[in-house]
Amino acid sequence: MKGQKSIKPSATVGIIDKARALRQAGVNVINMGIGEVMADSPAEAKEGLMGALEKGETHYVSSQGIPELRDAIAGKLVRENDIQVDADHIIVTPGAKYALYLGITAMIQAGDEVLMPDPGWMTYEAIVQMAGGKAVYFPCLEENRFSPRIEDIESRVTPKTRMIIFTTPSNPTGAVLSLEEVKAIAGLARKYDLLVVSDEIYEKFIYDGHRHSSIAAISDMRDRTLTINGFSKGWAMTGWRIGYGVGNKSLIERMTTMQQHSVTCTCAFTQRAALAAQLRSEDSVRALVADCQKKRDLVVETLNHIPGISCPSPQGAFYAFANVTETGKTGDELSLWLLEKTGVITLPGSTFGECGKGYLRFSYALPRDQVEEGMNRAGEALMGLSR
Ligand code: PLP
């Protein structure tokens, strides 16, 4: 595999094993490092899955994804995102991550440079490396609400730049890009003829009346953009492995060929589950998001009461990205110290890039009692630091 030696393991996936090992060793762990909603998946998804199993849908299906699910997703994209597509523009993959993998490796060549956010989700760099490309980071700083400044992106464009990747709402900061910011990125893509990957997996988690903007809704952006989404986050269905990519037909055809020769297809019965979830679980999604907003408020308020720590209220996703620079400890030191002292797992901001140094990421998509317990323990310990 190209560049495999320098590919770092995923910290957010690795945390699952780390928490299990600690629990087995008897540590009473609260895992606020995870990247998923710890709630039950919707009943409709389970019914969809059981129905498919009873009908014997346990065989290979279309590599692009079952037509009924692609139709339902296309309907959602037109209705909710104003992205004018049909089922032919969609590929269903085992998780959104695999749509990213197929799409990026289909689109870039060895030596291509790919612009991506810092702090940002580290899997983008790993995939770009596997495809032989080079990650080039643009800063998304707290002073600009963790949004990128367009001049910071433009100054990094070179003749080798082929693609820009961005995430809204963001992991790890929760920043939601405004329509104006998305339009400015579209302007750059046009000016420098860049391909765009828009990762919208946290789309459902938007608070305080903010709105999600899809770059592919801008008419001339549709064909140069790969939109990434799926059922993992909004429907609490990470383990079902259902995601999708949306792009121009020739890109989707290439991705489908790659899927044929790698995993063949996404599991038949989880696709039926996703179809049921897409068509019938909007209420469960709304309830999950409303619950997350309350937990966000609790976490942000607790963190802002701690001397040396400040945490802007995130507009989206389910992470609080707390600035810990004034504590006199680095994010890495604090994360380790918190784990040893309290059993609360967090991720140091450095996991997400240079610009994440000095931050700690707290995931609040846990059951309410665990969020309370985690913040009680962490809050008390961190308060003690300043005494
Ligand atoms: N995109 C972002 C920004 C993520 O944070 C994650 C998971 O943490 C994914 C994509 C992957 O989603 P999936 O579980 O559907 O592969």
Side-chain angles (χ1 to χ4, degrees):
M1 194 194 297
K2 291 174 225 156
Q4 66 176 353
K5 283 205 186 99
S6 52
I7 294 167
K8 295 188 209 104
S10 165
T12 45
V13 175
I15 207 85
I16 298 167
D17 291 331
K18 184 172 177 177
R20 193 184 45 232
L22 284 166
R23 284 192 183 111
Q24 275 170 357
V27 182
N28 181 358
V29 162
I30 305 270
N31 190 357
M32 301 189 85
I34 45 158
E36 59 180 326
V37 183
M38 296 313 279
D40 203 7
S41 304
E44 295 81 5
K46 295 181 188 173
E47 285 158 19
L49 179 120
M50 295 309 287
L53 286 179
E54 274 157 21
K55 285 194 203 130
E57 295 190 39
T58 53
H59 299 276
Y60 292 140
V61 285
S62 154
S63 287
Q64 196 177 340
I66 58 172
E68 298 88 332
L69 178 56
R70 286 186 289 118
D71 276 337
I73 293 169
K76 174 255 183 241
L77 291 164
V78 172
R79 227 175 24 252
E80 296 179 13
N81 304 83
D82 198 20
I83 302 178
Q84 301 305 318
V85 283
D86 58 38
D88 292 344
H89 296 91
I90 294 161
I91 178 169
V92 178
T93 52
K97 198 181 260 183
Y98 200 58
L100 278 163
Y101 179 80
L102 293 178
I104 293 170
T105 38
M107 285 190 280
I108 69 165
Q109 308 281 330
D112 285 348
E113 292 180 2
V114 179
L115 296 161
M116 59 185 75
D118 176 5
W121 190 48
M122 53 279 161
T123 288
Y124 306 132
E125 173 169 0
I127 295 176
V128 166
Q129 279 181 314
M130 288 189 262
K134 183 180 166 213
V136 175
Y137 285 103
F138 53 84
C140 299
L141 302 179
E142 186 179 347
E143 65 205 40
N144 197 39
R145 299 172 296 102
F146 295 113
S147 277
R149 291 188 324 175
I150 213 69
E151 55 273 31
D152 286 334
I153 305 181
E154 186 158 19
S155 63
R156 286 162 173 79
V157 175
T158 74
K160 290 187 178 165
T161 310
R162 176 89 178 115
M163 176 186 282
I164 176 163
I165 303 179
F166 67 99
T167 326
T168 182
S170 154
N171 175 11
T173 66
V176 175
L177 296 197
S178 67
L179 180 58
E180 286 63 40
E181 287 166 333
V182 169
K183 281 185 179 163
I185 294 175
L188 271 191
R190 224 175 264 129
K191 184 167 169 190
Y192 296 101
D193 193 18
L194 304 179
L195 298 166
V196 177
V197 173
S198 177
D199 186 343
E200 305 182 12
I201 192 85
Y202 294 98
E203 173 194 12
K204 297 288 175 191
F205 296 88
I206 298 208
Y207 313 118
D208 308 327
H210 289 281
R211 286 180 69 88
H212 175 70
S213 307
S214 294
I215 194 166
I218 302 170
S219 57
D220 64 332
M221 284 297 122
R222 192 194 73 168
D223 286 345
R224 66 168 75 237
T225 302
L226 174 65
T227 304
I228 298 292
N229 212 326
F231 294 83
S232 292
K233 313 287 176 174
W235 284 262
M237 288 175 67
T238 39
W240 303 64
R241 308 311 298 134
I242 289 275
Y244 56 90
V246 188
N248 68 63
K249 288 185 191 176
S250 90
L251 171 64
I252 296 301
E253 269 168 32
R254 268 182 293 148
M255 290 168 68
T256 301
T257 305
M258 291 165 73
Q259 180 139 281
Q260 278 173 352
H261 290 300
S262 52
V263 295
T264 305
C265 61
T266 305
C267 171
F269 42 86
T270 58
Q271 290 196 62
R272 288 283 169 202
L275 176 60
Q278 177 67 61
L279 296 178
R280 300 195 278 120
S281 296
E282 236 358 90
D283 289 348
S284 312
V285 175
R286 243 178 259 124
L288 271 185
V289 176
D291 185 46
C292 265
Q293 175 158 347
K294 289 192 201 129
K295 291 185 287 202
R296 173 201 67 166
D297 293 342
L298 169 77
V299 169
V300 169
E301 204 187 313
T302 309
L303 290 169
N304 279 322
H305 271 96
I306 300 167
I309 295 189
S310 63
C311 185
S313 189
Q315 299 169 353
F318 39 74
Y319 308 112
F321 205 56
N323 185 329
V324 299
T325 42
E326 298 291 310
T327 61
K329 286 192 189 292
T330 66
D332 294 71
E333 284 167 349
L334 261 195
S335 182
L336 201 61
W337 179 84
L338 266 183
L339 176 57
E340 283 167 359
K341 206 164 166 60
T342 68
V344 175
I345 301 183
T346 55
L347 281 183
S350 61
T351 311
F352 304 95
E354 277 295 305
C355 299
K357 285 186 174 160
Y359 290 85
L360 269 191
R361 194 194 78 169
F362 291 80
S363 169
Y364 48 81
L366 304 176
R368 172 97 193 177
D369 57 337
Q370 284 191 39
V371 175
E372 284 172 0
E373 172 70 16
M375 290 324 287
N376 282 344
R377 286 194 212 169
E380 205 170 297
L382 290 164
M383 285 286 211
L385 263 186
S386 64
R387 282 184 211 125

